[in-house]
Amino acid sequence: MVVINGKRTTAIVIRNRGDSVTLVPMKSGRLSAKTVAFDEFRRDWQETGYALSQAMTTFLAHIMKWGASLEVVKGLEKLAARDRFVVGSLF
C-alpha cells in the first residue's frame, strides 16, 4: 500500500501487524523503516491512488543510489515477491 501524510511524504507500507504498521517514508539519503501504532497510522496517513508497482520502481531506484536499512530491503523484497505471485496467478 502506498500512503501519504499531511506533510506530503509518500511511504510504502511493508508490514501491518494489526496493532502496529511498519512503513518506509521517502526521504533524501538512506531509507529506513518507521513503525507506528495502528491508530497513529490511521490518523496521520491516507492511501494514495499511486500504483504500487510505480512506487516500488521509484523506491528501488532511490535505494540503488542512496542505500537503505536491511529491514527496508527485506520488506520491499517480500512485497515485490508477493505482488509478482498475485499478478502471476491471474494469467
Side-chain angles (χ1 to χ4, degrees), residues 19-74:
D19 63 336
S20 64
V21 175
T22 303
L23 47 92
V24 181
M26 178 57 83
K27 62 178 186 169
S28 61
R30 189 171 185 261
L31 296 181
S32 57
K34 175 181 179 179
T35 301
V36 297
F38 187 77
D39 293 336
E40 179 183 348
F41 172 75
R42 279 292 180 209
R43 184 184 67 235
D44 297 340
W45 297 88
Q46 292 79 40
E47 189 171 0
T48 68
Y50 201 66
L52 181 59
S53 60
Q54 205 172 9
M56 290 287 289
T57 301
T58 302
F59 275 69
L60 292 174
H62 185 90
I63 289 170
M64 302 244 327
K65 184 172 184 177
W66 299 103
S69 69
L70 184 59
E71 182 180 17
V72 169
V73 173
K74 295 272 187 197

Side-chain angles (χ1 to χ4, degrees), residues 3 12 16 33 38 40 47 49 64-65 70 76 78 83 89:
V3 294
I12 294 180
N16 182 349
F38 187 77
E40 179 183 348
E47 189 171 0
M64 302 244 327
K65 184 172 184 177
L70 184 59
L76 291 177
K78 285 181 184 180
D83 277 3
S89 68

